[in-house]
Amino acid sequence: MELFSYMENYDYEQVVVCQDKLSGLKAIIAIHDTTLGPALGGTRMWMYETEADAFEDALRLAKGMTYKNAAAGLNLGGGKTVIIGDPRKDKNEEMFRAFGRYIQGLNGRYITAEDVGTTVQDMDTIYEETDYVTGISPAFGSSGNPSPVTAYGVYVGMKAAAKEAFGTDDLAGKTIAVQGVGNVAYNLCKHLHEEGASLIVTDINKDSVQRAVADFNAKAVDVNDIYSVDCDIFAPCALGAIINDHTIPQLKAKVIAGAANNQLKEERHGSLIHEMGIVYAPDYVINAGGVINVADELNGYNSERALKKVEGIYQNIEKVFDISKRDQIPTFKAADRMAEERIERMRRSRRQFLQNGQHILSRR
Ligand SMILES: NC(=O)C1=CN([C@@H]2O[C@H](COP(=O)(O)OP(=O)(O)OC[C@H]3O[C@@H](n4cnc5c(N)ncnc54)[C@H](O)[C@@H]3O)[C@@H](O)[C@H]2O)C=CC1
Ligand SMILES: CC(C)CC(=O)C(=O)O
């Protein structure tokens, strides 16, 4: 990867590469855009095959956070971290403390939280070194694990997408195929089961599958079969790029609505599903519940206030469908338009000089 040309193409502000030999930390903090405020986005720990894969993931996810935060109406920019390593084997306390010091060094330009492979406990360790971390234990007055709130937002957004496709947002009797039943999707399945939906699930982790089968009467299928099952809604809740040339021809669902980040492998795949008449709830709009929840900590966390904002995902998804119809564009483009227009409006509204921090004459 030609890092500078990639950064220039997609207008990234900063990439911080962190290495700590003692703890084994190898992290990439990508800050995409801070027009709206400090960059907030989670830390993913994953076993990347190559360093280039890790850079690409960090960069793509950071840009996604710029759009997610803007579309959700948050006054926050977009950033994300990836830590290279196996979250089951390679974690240690020193690693997250070293990482916390790197975040502290950014002096508030980047604020972190959980993502795939990191936990509330990891955030608590980071908190030993920096205040610029959210999703720490509720005992510290924080919001804790964002996953259940992300799941609630996906559930609410899925209902809005169902209304668009089926004329009703009632999910009772609908068959929903869920890819990956981890932290977010387990909680999503709970809401769907309680509403009377039938679930088909898959995961590379057999224990997670068994738990969903036992708790929600879900039907389990092989990981490769989840795309082609007969269902009304496909909910991708594992990793990204799963809407691609290989999977699209297999899909039978009328709706795609799930938690995973960066679901479209390439933009053209978003256009393709649109032409096929599939109602796609753009990933970063529907999965914003977690970030809305952790962002509320910046005002002194109030769970009721945060959940109310998360419920706004229903209207936000409707807004995306309206723009898509108005401008005759696929929904992923409509979401981008909504986010970009807000960033641009805010950029313009900040033209006037406002003294922030130290006065410019204070050194006299
Ligand atoms: N945790 C949160 O609050 C948020 C999560 N997301 C996104 O939602 C997705 C899920 O996040 P979490 O539930 O937190 O992660 P998780 O790691 O708890 O769950 C992901 C699950 O997917 C499974 N999986 C991985 N590859 C798979 C494959 N090829 N086929 C089937 N299953 C596979 C894993 O075994 C795991 O059970 C991720 O893309 C994440 O970035 C987005 C917004 C917020
Ligand atoms: C609080 C986090 C879950 C934010 C984030 O990284 C995301 O929404 O992907």
Side-chain angles (χ1 to χ4, degrees), residues 299-318:
N299 304 310
Y301 183 63
N302 177 305
S303 124
E304 221 174 284
R305 179 177 61 207
L307 277 183
K308 207 162 166 36
K309 267 195 213 157
V310 172
E311 277 165 7
I313 289 176
Y314 190 108
Q315 284 76 31
N316 238 13
I317 291 284
E318 284 186 320

Side-chain angles (χ1 to χ4, degrees), residues 44 46 68 115-117 146-147 150 179-185 202-205 208 223 237-239 259-261 287 290:
R44 175 173 291 192
W46 195 250
K68 185 181 306 194
D115 191 51
V116 174
S147 303
T150 301
Q179 180 183 43
V181 264
N183 289 319
V184 175
T202 194
D203 199 294
I204 48 174
N205 181 333
S208 302
V223 283
C237 297
L239 296 179
N261 280 310
N287 73 14

Side-chain angles (χ1 to χ4, degrees), residues 246-286:
H246 172 67
T247 60
I248 290 174
Q250 302 179 50
L251 294 174
K252 300 206 174 72
K254 279 285 292 170
V255 171
I256 300 176
N261 280 310
N262 296 335
Q263 293 171 22
L264 302 174
K265 180 149 194 241
E266 293 167 34
E267 291 204 341
R268 65 183 176 85
H269 296 118
S271 304
L272 207 55
I273 53 175
H274 182 71
E275 282 155 22
M276 290 163 70
I278 295 176
V279 173
Y280 172 58
D283 44 15
Y284 64 74
V285 182
I286 196 170

Side-chain angles (χ1 to χ4, degrees), residues 5 66 73 79 100 178 202-203 278 360:
S5 31
T66 298
V178 183
T202 194
D203 199 294
I278 295 176
I360 46 175

